[in-house]
Amino acid sequence: YMGILVGLAVSQIEIQSPTSLMNKNIDINYEVANFGRIPYGKTLVGYLVVPNPPNACQSIEPIQRDNRTSLSIFLLIEDGDCSYDVKAKYAEIAGAKLAVVVSKQDDISGKVLNDNGMGSNVGIATVLVSKSVGSEFKKAMEENAETRVTFSIRFEMSQTKHVDYTVWLSSSNPNSFKFIHDFYEYHKRLGDLVTITPKYVLWFCLSCKKENYQGKADNDNCVSHGRYCAPDPDDKDGPATGKTVVLEDLRQKCLFISYPDDQDKWWSYVSKFAESEDCQKFMDDSCSEDLLSKVGADVSLIKKCMKDSFEGGDMKNDNYILKEDRASYILQNIPYWPAVVINRQIYRGSLLPADDVFDAVCAAFTEQPKACELAAEQAEVGQQEINYSVVIVIVIIVLAAFLFFMIVVYKRMVRREMAKQMDSQIHNLVSQYFAMNDSKDNTRRSDNSAI
């Protein structure tokens, strides 16, 4: 199993300009963040810009676009001072199509850029490059002020005719079931072209291991004398325990194993489990068995599978089903969960919305299935509709602004005309007033002369 996860080794960054940087043939290794929308099967081309502030931990000053090119903007961001998802969000708001974070270290292999709360709101990809690569980028930008540092990056998946994917999940994690619930429809579209294998994340009791799993009794969070455990989902404030989580994982695994030709039962059960607050809260047998009946599963068959999976049918002994998943988790070095592994390549990016994972699965086919082609066409039409909507909104805004301008101009003209009329009227009144005074003065003079 060693090396089963190839990460994004099949992807690559290719320098487009300047020539001086291209001629260096530098080896550009990078890690892709586990959040945001990763455009699998597509290529991004853009030029590098250093933001202000350089660490992108707060609002970035407006970026002056290079009008000589229509390429996308890639922001070259300093590491540190805030989380990666925060940097990516500010980069996205600034108009960037890719956030390139420069690590403070040269060795970045295996580095995981996790979602710290903002990731679900990020709509662009983020990559981490080594300190030395970042230095080469900055040096080229300083030495070639007139020539942009431009490169392309393609996000690829290992391709096969039939795609296998594994979902790593846990009954204690609501996001696991939310993803399964949302991805079910996409899985059905692909039919026999894909095969899913659910595996469950399990821990172990360290102190129990030191006793060679021969302690007197299991604790509340483990089975098999501490070989397989899970964290308490409600921190001892509720009825569920780590042990009930492990048993629920085992129940779901038995459901999947017991109906190899009818996996819809597993999909339906997990989806219903995701919708049931009571089952997630209590994780008791009655609630789960009621769901099993609703999806048409034989409850006695699942209970037998669970019991028989323990050596001698004793829950204190080892369990061959849980043992296999635990061994795979360790050997494959799964860095986070819930996680999806497609054709032995771990998926990077947000699991929700589930259509992003669907795009990644489609990118893993040597020949695109009709379902993938149809989804791509619908996405393109949707983008065109969005573009048309944007144009309409812009036109409305421009017309509204023009109308407002005309109203302001009209009001000024009216005021100016009214002012002229007022001035004319006042002038006439004043003239009449002076004319009357002059007439009175002349009359007085005549009278005085007569006297």
Side-chain angles (χ1 to χ4, degrees):
Y1 292 93
M2 295 305 290
I4 193 170
L5 299 184
V6 296
L8 289 170
V10 295
S11 301
Q12 57 183 331
I13 290 178
E14 292 186 0
I15 303 296
Q16 307 291 333
S17 67
T19 305
S20 58
L21 186 59
M22 293 173 60
N23 292 338
K24 289 185 177 182
N25 294 318
I26 59 176
D27 186 18
I28 305 177
N29 294 320
Y30 63 94
E31 294 290 338
V32 181
N34 189 37
F35 57 80
R37 307 198 75 166
I38 313 300
Y40 284 103
K42 299 179 178 64
T43 300
L44 298 180
V45 184
Y47 61 90
L48 286 173
V49 175
V50 175
N52 187 18
N55 62 7
C57 287
Q58 58 189 52
S59 296
I60 296 171
E61 291 185 4
I63 299 172
Q64 188 67 35
R65 281 199 63 91
D66 188 343
N67 295 326
R68 298 170 297 176
T69 178
S70 60
L71 297 179
S72 299
I73 294 174
F74 296 166
L75 287 191
L76 192 64
I77 302 170
E78 291 182 356
D79 199 355
D81 301 320
C82 63
S83 61
Y84 294 113
D85 52 352
V86 169
K87 296 176 185 291
K89 188 58 185 178
Y90 279 124
E92 181 185 7
I93 293 173
K97 297 300 181 183
L98 179 70
V100 183
V101 181
V102 180
S103 175
K104 296 180 180 180
Q105 301 174 346
D106 281 330
D107 184 9
I108 60 171
S109 58
K111 176 73 174 179
V112 178
L113 283 66
N114 278 325
D115 175 6
N116 286 329
M118 182 71 73
S120 60
N121 297 317
V122 176
I124 63 173
T126 302
V127 299
L128 180 74
V129 298
S130 66
K131 178 181 178 181
S132 57
V133 169
S135 297
E136 291 287 353
F137 283 160
K138 292 177 182 177
K139 184 179 179 182
M141 294 172 72
E142 293 169 357
E143 294 177 349
N144 301 270
E146 296 300 320
T147 304
R148 295 286 190 180
V149 174
T150 306
F151 67 80
S152 64
I153 178 171
R154 183 168 180 80
F155 299 91
E156 296 180 336
M157 299 297 295
S158 299
Q159 294 185 329
T160 55
K161 290 184 177 181
H162 182 97
V163 174
D164 296 315
Y165 70 96
T166 302
V167 180
W168 286 93
L169 63 160
S170 169
S171 299
S172 64
N173 186 278
N175 289 333
S176 299
F177 301 114
K178 174 63 175 172
F179 167 72
I180 295 296
H181 178 274
D182 291 359
F183 195 72
Y184 185 23
E185 185 60 36
Y186 294 105
H187 179 85
K188 288 192 292 185
R189 291 184 194 177
L190 295 170
D192 296 336
L193 296 174
V194 293
T195 299
I196 181 177
T197 302
K199 289 185 177 292
Y200 292 81
V201 180
L202 301 163
W203 288 258
F204 67 93
C205 168
L206 183 59
S207 60
C208 301
K209 183 179 180 181
K210 291 179 179 178
E211 297 178 359
N212 198 27
Y213 302 114
Q214 297 297 321
K216 293 182 178 179
D218 294 327
N219 60 43
D220 291 337
N221 295 321
C222 305
V223 299
S224 300
H225 275 303
R227 288 181 177 87
Y228 314 109
C229 309
D232 191 318
D234 45 32
D235 295 325
K236 298 182 179 181
D237 293 332
T241 64
K243 183 176 182 179
T244 59
V245 170
V246 174
L247 292 177
E248 178 58 37
D249 289 344
L250 180 59
R251 181 180 290 108
Q252 294 178 20
K253 191 77 176 183
C254 276
L255 176 61
F256 185 83
I257 294 171
S258 300
Y259 292 93
D261 298 325
D262 188 8
Q263 293 181 352
D264 282 348
K265 284 183 170 54
W266 177 84
W267 284 96
S268 298
Y269 175 87
V270 175
S271 295
K272 290 183 180 296
F273 191 89
E275 298 169 352
S276 174
E277 294 183 4
D278 287 342
C279 285
Q280 292 184 55
K281 179 179 179 180
F282 296 99
M283 290 197 185
D284 59 359
D285 293 343
S286 60
C287 187
S288 297
E289 290 173 4
D290 181 56
L291 291 184
L292 287 173
S293 298
K294 288 181 179 180
V295 300
D298 186 340
V299 176
S300 61
L301 178 65
I302 305 305
K303 292 174 71 174
K304 184 178 187 304
C305 170
M306 293 176 66
K307 182 178 180 180
D308 292 348
S309 62
F310 290 97
E311 293 180 359
D314 189 344
M315 198 180 297
K316 294 180 180 179
N317 295 333
D318 205 349
N319 183 293
Y320 77 90
I321 294 177
L322 301 178
K323 184 177 183 178
E324 181 182 348
D325 279 11
R326 176 65 187 161
S328 296
Y329 180 77
I330 295 173
L331 291 172
Q332 295 182 27
N333 193 28
I334 303 298
Y336 47 80
W337 58 276
V340 178
V341 178
I342 305 170
N343 282 351
R344 298 186 176 185
Q345 182 177 338
I346 194 162
Y347 168 88
R348 294 291 178 89
S350 299
L351 293 181
L352 298 171
D355 56 347
D356 288 347
V357 182
F358 178 71
D359 290 342
V361 172
C362 287
F365 285 101
T366 52
E367 296 181 6
Q368 287 285 287
K370 290 183 179 180
C372 295
E373 293 178 350
L374 180 61
E377 291 173 1
Q378 291 174 342
E380 187 175 347
V381 170
Q383 185 61 45
Q384 290 176 352
E385 291 176 352
I386 291 173
N387 292 336
Y388 292 147
S389 300
V390 171
V391 170
I392 292 172
V393 169
I394 292 174
V395 170
I396 292 174
I397 291 174
V398 171
L399 289 175
F402 178 74
L403 180 61
F404 176 77
F405 173 76
M406 292 301 297
I407 291 173
V408 171
V409 171
Y410 174 75
K411 284 184 176 180
R412 287 183 178 178
M413 290 176 62
V414 170
R415 288 173 183 170
R416 196 174 298 170
E417 186 65 27
M418 290 180 63
K420 286 182 180 180
Q421 293 179 5
M422 289 289 292
D423 288 343
S424 178
Q425 292 177 6
I426 291 172
H427 178 75
N428 291 335
L429 289 172
V430 171
S431 297
Q432 292 176 8
Y433 174 77
F434 280 115
M436 290 177 62
N437 282 341
D438 289 342
S439 178
K440 288 180 179 181
D441 289 342
N442 291 333
T443 301
R444 288 190 184 115
R445 289 194 191 98
S446 298
D447 292 343
N448 290 335
S449 297
I451 293 172

